[in-house]
Structures are given as C-alpha cells and as structure tokens.
Amino acid sequence: MKIGLLVNPVAGAGGRIGLKGSDDVDAVLKKGGRPSSPVIAEKFCGFIGREMEIITCSSSMGRDYINGRVVYEVNGKTTAKDTIKACRAFVKHGADLIVFVGGDGTARDVYGAVGKDVPILGVPAGVKMYSSVFALNAEKAAHVVREFAEGKTELMEREIMDVDEEAFRNDMLKIKLHGFALVPSLRHFIQNGKKMFAGEEHAKREVAEFMALVYKRGTCILGPGSTVKAIADEMGVEKTLLGVDVVRDGKIIARDAGEREILDAMNGSARIVVSPMGGNNFIFGRGNQQISARVIKKAGIENVTVVATPAKMMEAPFLYVDAGDEAMNKKLAGWRQVIVGYGMAVRKKVLF
Amino acid sequence: MVRKIMLDENEMPKKWYNIQADVALPPHLHPATREPIKPEDMKPIFPDAIIKQEGSRERWIPIPEEVMEIYRIWRPTPLYRAENLEKYLKTPAKIFFKWEGVSPPGSHKPNTAVAQAYYNAMEGVERLTTETGAGQWGSALAFATKMFDMKCTVYMVKCSYEQKPYRRILMQTWGADVVASPSERTEFGKKIREEMPSTPGSLGIAISEAIEDAVKDERAKYSLGSVLNHVVLHQSIIGLEIKEQFRKIDVKPDIIAGCVGGGSNFSGGVFPFVPNKMRGEEIKFIAAEPTACPTLTKGLYTYDFGDTAKQTPLLKMHTLGHDFIPPAIHAGGLRYHGDAPALCKLVDDGIIEARAYHQNEVFKAATIFARTEGFVIAPESAHGLKAAMDGAIKCRETGEEKVICFVNSGHGHFDLSSYNLYNNGVLQDYEYPEELIREAMKNLS
C-alpha cells in the first residue's frame, strides 16, 4: 500500500485576511496572509504514524513534515504546476491513494492530474472547501487513510467544485462543478457494516430505472452529476455530466444550458431532478446554479425531485439549499424525500 | 395495581378464535383461473387440516393437546402494566403490554409454527420449507419442527442472512437448513440471481423459492408465517389470553395497538376483541406499520399475489404490488408487500385504523421503553409501542384515563446493531414515494 502525500504550502493563506481564497498567491502573501497548511500537514503526519509507505515531494510540499521517499523535487516557489507534476509522479511510482493538504484549488489541480485513475483524499486546509473530497479534519483523514490501507473503505464518486474567487470577492458566489473524483469512504456509515446494495453503480441504475419511468413524458430539467446522468442514459438521451440539460418527451432540447436557456426551453411547468452536491450536500446553489430560483419557480416547487445513492445519503445528516433567494430557500427547506432506489426514498431535512 | 397479570397453565385458552365466523372474507382466487380456490388446489403445499382451517367458518377451533403441551413451555405469556413508562410520559392513561418475547425463539411466531408443524407431522410430512425475513419466523419454525422431529429448510432473505448472522445460527442450532435467498436451489432463485445479481432479496422472492422447493418434493410441504387465515387463527391465542387477563383485573381496554408486517401478530392480539366492537363496545384498534412499507396506509385494496413468482393464490388485501421490494429497514419482519386478508377487510370496513411510522421515531420509542420498562424490544414490536405511546401522550393532553394495550411481539436481542445505528444517529428514515410511483405506473401502462 503506497500513499502519495502532497502539501500545498500556501493553502489557507487568504482566509485570515478575508480574501476568500488563495488563488492569487503573491497578492495574498503580500497582504500578510499566512498559510494554514503547514500546521495541518504536521498534524496529519503525526496521526498517520510510521508504518505506512509514503511517497512525497521535497521540502515544503511534503518532506518537511513526513519521512517519505521523495519522488518529486520542488524548485523554488511552488505553483499549481508543481501539484500537477507531483501527482503524475505519484501515479508513475504506483501510488494507491493520493492525499493532499489544501483546499478546492488544490483538489482541482490534483483531480486535473489524475482524474479517476487513483483515488484521492483531501486534508482540509484551504479557505474554500466546496468539493466533497475532504475528510472532516486531519485526524479523521488519517483514520480514513489507515482504513483504506486495510481495505475497509469503499470508493465513492465525489464532486470537485471550485468558486470563482474574483466573483466571490465581489460578493457573488459562483460555484462550478469540475468533475468527479474517486474518494475512499468509511464503511462505518453503511448500515450494519454490510452492503445493502451491490454498490454505487447498482444503486444509480435502480434510481435511473425508476425515474426514467416517471420522466417518460413532459419537460424535465436534469441537473449535473452521475446519478442524474444515469437517468438520462436510461431514457436514451445523451446528457452532459457536469452541465444542466433540458429534455422534452424523451428528446434533449437544451444541452449544458445556462439559466436563460433553461427558461427559454421551458413552456410552463417542468420537472427538475437534482442530486446533492459538494461537501455539505446542497440540492441547489452548488454546481447547479443554472437552476436558479426563477427556474424553480417557473417549473413549480412541487416538481423538484432529489435523487442520490443510499450510501451518500447515509453520510448526510442534512441537506442544504442555497437557491440565491431567501423566499425560495424557505420553500425548499424542511422534510424532503430523496429517491435512493426503485420506488424507494429516504426522508431528509433540508436546511438553508 | 399489580405489575403483571399472569394466567395459570390450566387457564390457557383451549380453543382458537376464528374471525371468519364473524367477518365474511372475499375468497382466495386460483392464480391461473382467477376462480375461487378449491381445497385440492392447495394440496401440494399444505396438509389437509390446514387447508380446512384456511376456509373454515367455525367460530371456535380446539387446540390439539400436543400443541398445548408445547405452548406450555412459555404460555400463557404475561400481560404487563407499564407504570414506569406512564410516569415518564406523565400520562393519566394506563399502558399495558402483552409480552410475547418469552417464547424460545423470542417472539409470537411459534404460536402458529407449533400448530403448523403438528398438523404436518400428523399427516406424515417429513420436511417443511419456509421463508424468513428478519429471521423471527424461520427460527420459530426451526424450533417447532424440532419439537415434532421434522426437517426444516429456511429461505432467508439475503440481506438479513448477511445482516443477522445470529438469527441464522439460532435456526441452525435447532437443526434447520438455512439458505440465503435468492439461492441456486430453485429455478426461480436462479432466474432472479441472473436478472438481478445484486438484489438484497425480498420476502416475496423467498416465498417463491420455498414453495417451489416444497412442490418438487412429495415428502415436503410449505409453511407460511403470516398473512393466511390459518396463521391468524393460531395467533388468536394472544388476544384470548389478553381478554382473560383483563377480565381477571376487571379492566376493559380502550385502545389495542400492534405492529403489522403480514398482520399475524396484530390480528392475533386484536381479532378476539373485534366481536365486542361489532356489538357496539367502544374500543379502538391501531395497526402500526413502517413508512418504508406502508401497505395498509398507502396500498391498494385489491387482489394480488402473495409472492413475487405469482405462485400463491390471489388474496384480496392492501398491497404495494407483488413485485415491490421494500427497502432493507431494520424492522425486517414488517417488509412485506401485502397483509392478512381479514385484517385488510377490517381496515377497509373502518373497524381497524392504520398508521405509518418512521424508523427513527420508532427507535426513539423503543429506547424510552428500554430505559423505563427495561425490555429491549424488537424494532417491529416498537411500531406498536409507538402507536400506544402516541395514544398515551394524547391522553396527557385531554386528561383521559384510557386503557391502552399493545402487543409486544418479541425481544430485540438480535437487533442490537440496529439500535447501535440509532444511537449513533445514522439510522435512515425510509419512505414510499407514493406520487412518483403512481406516475411511474401510469407511464408503464
């Protein structure tokens, strides 16, 4: 079992000076921002213990914190390119899991480098952490890594999301979905420690078979994500994985649509199907902001269906909504059914 | 007030009460012809005595002495007054519970298992086949067949087989052959495994397998743990004892509650009181079921098959459809798509009320019960408890001193992993998405 460990040495620097991110490293450091990643990296390495085989980067990207074999040398100031190159080196050296200390920006870079080839796990140290690839804290992350090494975890698809920092500084929250990484998840949360279902793929297929029957006729707005995409596959329409698509009577009429296009494509009410996104499981407002409060209002709030896999719902005590409109958030909040199988739902409380 | 009301062994009822004498039931239909089923149609799977009971309209049916003898191992069961729970709820209501958890397998199920094993043994049957969900019924039949020196094959719903190894071990300890369903033993099992390799299994599938197994072996018959009239008949001993126990302390119950999976525990406790209600006495019956499998509250009252392979007779009942596979909830014994026809008829007639509860509220009630009355009860039984507690809380608001009784069908010693999930706050509340299902069905046709 080989773990690739990489630390983004500047992660978290923007947070304390209210910059809402550290993408522009120079500006952040100039204003006196101090990264949080070194402290967190040290904590994580303390929890992880010595018996694991670790490959890592030189100096502040790894070797400063852990006694691992260096497979990537850092030269001078580190950038996103170093993250990407280091991850590629980890893959080349046979890493079974890549652990990174950072935030959403680091997650994006790691995912960009390895995709779904190798599972990844984030140790939270960033300012923005909308992606759902992070463990709760350094200690929990070390626990997941140990369980992974013992084959006691299950790989789940998790969203890689990031905020447009420039827009964020201007008080606009634009969160984009960049893709789905594979992340080890503790089986502790699976009921009775036994699988009720054959796994994520089977569960998605069950949800898809059921929902495709419901959506046979009429207009429906399909949110991003692989659970919703499975429904489209079952309906025989080719849906984008990361975008919002509109389907009418089984045919796609708008692909990867923005808010305007969705509104234009609707004639009257429509069904909306979304899957909870990001670390906090938002049903609206994270990675699917195209489905705005206006779209939901036009479609009819009673026509919103939330779908997810049972394993994902077992880890989600609550769901959240951030439709960008207080009144709409209020209407969407409260107890809601989430379809998790063929003719099967769980009840979850939606908060805002 | 005494804490528990006991009956002597010689006070145990000597006859079962047959609801069919007082309620005319729509006949079971033949699966192929859709004509009312004839006794000979049931011969491949049931012994003659059971077939006769299934259609009998005799009000009282004597309990054979051989059955009584085994009943005496644990019967009569105590009727408890739950005073600590009353104090906890600050209710003026008086809460009683009939404790069926004292039987060797730990539930009410052997009341019929022993009777069925006896009648089969008398007719020379050497092996009984059956299905089990949570394992309660399977362990009851494993125990009962052993008492009559018979063999027993139990098709256990796969997810329970994996989740509840201790129930499986219990059955094996009584000598039963336990098979995870769908299995490779039957043609139907093989077919399901091919079509849905990862299915958690369902009671409907397991029933189909057990029936196929019995039909193929002339020395074997099949045994069903709930739903059918003869099962409900054997369970009437619960309600008859309750009646006698209340008579002893000169108390009349105002509300009787119980959980419903296939309906045998509830019917057993309530049916002996139904004639009283028909005579105009004021008494309320509450059937409590899970929201994940809400047959009585959301199902259609119509003819449907009892199993997935459509081998059983068509029964008129509240059903979610014979192909409905309910989520793997922790009250596994309540995961069945239909209910006892007699119970359904009485719900349809408005004599019995039905309510559905979520897993978390049910476990909350069970935990309160454990901390007040001491008993850790089965999640199934806790549905009945929840209904009783709701009734008692209502009394707190109205000030009424109602007498509320619930049938506490079994202990939860094999359900501790479910309690653990509840304690850790990760228990899921499953629901039946009624509107979407209706829409899907519309588009299917």
Side-chain angles (χ1 to χ4, degrees):
Chain A
M1 187 59 56
K2 214 179 272 181
I3 310 292
L5 174 73
L6 121 97
V7 180
N8 172 358
V10 295
R16 295 186 198 161
I17 52 170
L19 277 186
K20 301 175 182 170
S22 318
D23 286 3
D24 188 351
V25 177
D26 288 337
V28 167
L29 296 178
K30 206 178 278 176
K31 287 191 178 178
R34 287 286 164 268
S36 50
S37 53
V39 177
I40 292 166
E42 209 152 311
K43 259 192 203 164
F44 171 78
C45 293
F47 287 125
I48 199 77
R50 288 160 184 270
E51 59 278 10
M52 209 87 63
E53 187 184 352
I54 306 281
I55 50 177
T56 187
C57 313
S58 64
S59 64
S60 64
M61 277 188 73
R63 193 63 176 79
D64 286 357
Y65 313 102
I66 202 154
N67 191 16
R69 183 157 62 92
V70 173
V71 297
Y72 179 75
E73 289 285 345
V74 185
N75 283 315
K77 206 174 70 179
T78 62
T79 67
K81 275 187 191 147
D82 287 302
T83 301
I84 293 164
K85 282 185 192 161
C87 287
R88 287 193 183 136
F90 291 160
V91 175
K92 208 177 117 195
H93 284 85
D96 297 293
L97 171 71
I98 295 178
V99 181
F100 65 91
V101 182
D104 276 334
T106 323
R108 242 177 98 178
D109 294 334
V110 171
Y111 172 71
V114 304
K116 282 190 181 173
D117 293 345
V118 180
I120 68 173
L121 178 70
V123 182
V127 179
K128 311 158 291 165
M129 280 171 292
Y130 290 101
S131 303
S132 49
V133 300
F134 296 99
L136 204 61
N137 54 38
E139 186 178 2
K140 291 268 160 49
H143 178 59
V144 173
V145 172
R146 278 196 303 271
E147 296 282 299
F148 175 83
E150 286 174 22
K152 288 181 184 166
T153 56
E154 213 147 342
L155 291 181
M156 308 254 285
E157 263 184 1
R158 291 300 174 80
E159 300 88 25
I160 299 284
M161 298 165 70
D162 202 0
V163 181
D164 179 333
E165 283 187 18
E166 195 45 50
F168 200 15
R169 285 189 195 109
N170 295 324
D171 280 338
M172 277 160 54
L173 187 64
K174 276 192 194 161
I175 295 155
K176 215 181 145 205
L177 175 65
H178 292 279
F180 296 91
L182 287 180
V183 179
S185 162
L186 295 181
R187 277 193 202 148
H188 161 75
F189 290 108
I190 310 287
Q191 301 215 5
N192 274 355
K194 295 277 178 188
K195 280 194 272 186
M196 284 194 323
F197 309 93
E200 292 285 282
E201 286 316 308
H202 177 79
K204 274 176 205 163
R205 226 172 26 246
E206 261 204 26
V207 170
E209 273 174 35
F210 177 61
M211 292 309 295
L213 262 182
V214 178
Y215 291 159
K216 216 168 168 185
R217 297 183 194 116
T219 307
C220 53
I221 299 161
L222 304 174
S226 57
T227 312
V228 180
K229 187 172 187 309
I231 300 171
D233 291 346
E234 183 71 28
M235 291 163 80
V237 298
E238 222 175 284
K239 190 198 162 334
T240 58
L241 179 62
L242 305 181
V244 174
D245 302 19
V246 185
V247 173
R248 179 167 305 135
D249 297 332
K251 288 198 178 62
I252 226 149
I253 54 166
R255 179 181 287 277
D256 198 6
E259 182 195 15
R260 188 69 260 158
E261 291 161 280
I262 298 172
L263 287 167
D264 289 345
M266 296 165 71
N267 51 1
S269 78
R271 295 177 159 282
I272 296 175
V273 60
V274 288
S275 188
M277 297 288 224
N280 276 335
N281 289 302
F282 276 78
I283 57 172
F284 289 108
R286 298 287 183 274
N288 60 8
Q289 281 165 309
Q290 305 93 309
I291 312 176
S292 62
R294 282 172 70 195
V295 171
I296 301 166
K297 200 170 171 190
K298 189 172 175 187
I301 208 157
E302 67 286 359
N303 288 324
V304 172
T305 303
V306 184
V307 297
T309 59
K312 188 167 183 171
M313 283 305 92
M314 263 164 216
E315 296 185 1
F318 300 105
L319 301 180
Y320 291 85
V321 61
D322 178 12
D325 175 305
E326 192 76 357
M328 181 55 77
N329 286 346
K330 257 187 198 156
K331 282 185 196 158
L332 286 163
W335 290 106
R336 187 165 276 280
Q337 284 187 348
V338 180
I339 302 295
V340 293
Y342 194 99
M344 193 197 291
V346 292
R347 186 173 77 136
K348 286 282 166 189
K349 199 160 204 178
V350 178
L351 309 174
F352 66 93
Chain B
M1 179 64 91
V2 287
R3 186 130 219 157
K4 59 184 186 295
I5 302 105
M6 308 293 286
L7 296 178
D8 285 340
E9 280 182 15
N10 58 19
E11 289 175 300
M12 187 163 75
K14 294 175 179 59
K15 288 169 184 169
W16 289 304
Y17 165 70
N18 183 9
I19 188 81
Q20 293 189 82
D22 295 304
V23 179
L25 295 183
H28 304 339
L29 303 184
H30 191 283
T33 63
R34 304 218 163 208
E35 293 291 322
I37 199 155
K38 296 187 197 79
E40 58 266 32
D41 296 330
M42 290 188 273
K43 272 190 176 256
I45 54 172
F46 293 133
D48 291 341
I50 292 286
I51 295 171
K52 201 174 155 205
Q53 288 180 353
E54 186 60 24
S56 169
R57 301 201 64 175
E58 292 280 324
R59 181 166 284 110
W60 299 104
I61 295 178
I63 306 174
E65 179 48 37
E66 292 86 340
V67 173
M68 297 272 280
E69 202 179 307
I70 295 171
Y71 275 178
R72 281 187 208 109
I73 296 175
W74 75 96
R75 300 212 76 91
T77 62
L79 178 74
Y80 278 88
R81 168 90 184 267
E83 265 186 309
N84 290 350
L85 179 63
E86 292 166 16
K87 276 185 205 140
Y88 174 89
L89 294 174
K90 298 188 178 69
T91 176
K94 295 180 181 70
I95 305 174
F96 290 84
F97 64 94
K98 177 69 167 168
W99 184 223
E100 289 291 303
V102 288
S103 75
S107 78
H108 67 292
K109 293 284 188 183
N111 295 336
T112 183
V114 170
Q116 291 193 44
Y118 165 76
Y119 289 121
N120 275 286
M122 285 304 101
E123 293 180 32
V125 176
E126 293 169 18
R127 180 172 73 101
L128 282 181
T129 70
T130 196
E131 72 291 330
T132 196
Q136 295 273 22
W137 167 242
S139 31
L141 196 68
F143 155 75
T145 46
K146 203 30 79 189
M147 295 296 107
F148 294 100
D149 207 16
M150 300 167 82
K151 287 186 188 140
C152 183
T153 307
V154 182
Y155 290 86
M156 187 171 188
V157 177
K158 198 172 93 185
C159 67
S160 296
Y161 185 91
E162 290 167 357
Q163 285 177 2
K164 301 200 165 181
Y166 296 118
R167 275 274 166 207
R168 168 165 49 85
I169 297 163
L170 190 60
M171 289 185 261
Q172 288 162 338
T173 305
W174 276 312
D177 176 19
V178 188
V179 190
S181 165
S183 75
E184 292 288 332
R185 295 262 185 106
T186 66
E187 292 310 312
F188 185 69
K190 282 184 209 161
K191 188 171 154 251
I192 292 280
R193 281 168 75 108
E194 213 166 279
E195 285 170 6
M196 299 187 280
S198 51
T199 177
S202 73
L203 261 189
I205 295 170
I207 294 175
S208 299
E209 286 208 275
I211 292 180
E212 186 186 320
D213 184 355
V215 170
K216 280 184 184 160
D217 177 0
E218 58 178 26
R219 281 172 299 187
K221 297 262 189 227
Y222 166 72
S223 178
L224 189 70
S226 191
V227 179
L228 293 178
N229 299 333
H230 65 268
V231 180
V232 169
L233 169 79
H234 304 150
Q235 293 294 357
S236 66
I237 190 155
I238 304 172
L240 293 168
E241 284 184 6
I242 298 176
K243 256 190 156 170
E244 186 56 24
Q245 284 160 320
F246 273 128
R247 198 192 56 76
K248 267 194 153 182
I249 54 168
D250 198 21
V251 169
K252 272 194 177 160
D254 297 300
I255 298 172
I256 303 179
C259 64
V260 172
S264 76
N265 149 68
F266 178 84
S267 303
V270 160
F271 282 3
F273 290 88
V274 166
N276 300 52
K277 180 152 182 154
M278 285 174 158
R279 280 196 300 270
E281 271 180 39
E282 266 206 41
I283 181 165
K284 199 175 194 167
F285 308 124
I286 304 170
E289 60 183 12
T291 50
C293 192
T295 44
L296 290 172
T297 50
K298 300 259 170 97
L300 226 62
Y301 184 47
T302 183
Y303 272 104
D304 194 11
F305 297 98
D307 71 328
T308 311
K310 305 190 241 184
Q311 291 172 314
T312 66
L314 285 152
L315 309 176
K316 181 123 191 235
M317 58 185 176
H318 287 87
T319 174
L320 300 172
H322 59 267
D323 51 1
F324 175 69
I325 299 180
I329 54 164
H330 295 278
L334 306 186
R335 295 175 66 222
Y336 183 65
H337 68 271
D339 283 311
L343 166 60
C344 295
K345 176 79 170 60
L346 289 164
V347 169
D348 197 55
D349 290 347
I351 291 180
I352 290 167
E353 287 173 35
R355 283 179 207 162
Y357 295 105
H358 283 105
Q359 289 201 101
N360 275 296
E361 56 186 350
V362 165
F363 272 89
K364 186 179 173 192
T367 306
I368 292 171
F369 192 75
R371 290 176 187 183
T372 51
E373 293 300 320
F375 292 105
V376 175
I377 67 174
E380 287 86 350
S381 321
H383 285 71
L385 162 68
K386 169 70 181 151
M389 280 171 62
D390 279 2
I393 289 166
K394 209 173 156 196
C395 286
R396 180 174 70 203
E397 286 150 15
T398 60
E400 290 171 289
E401 292 180 22
K402 285 193 174 164
V403 176
I404 303 171
C405 174
F406 75 97
V407 187
N408 201 347
S409 55
H411 69 66
H413 298 177
F414 294 104
D415 300 290
L416 293 181
S417 61
S418 308
Y419 274 91
N420 189 40
L421 289 172
Y422 171 74
N423 292 343
N424 288 321
V426 289
L427 193 70
Q428 298 288 299
D429 275 341
Y430 284 98
E431 280 189 355
Y432 178 80
E434 190 185 8
E435 273 170 43
L436 291 178
I437 285 180
R438 205 182 307 129
E439 198 130 349
M441 292 303 117
K442 207 167 66 195
N443 286 336
L444 198 57
S445 54

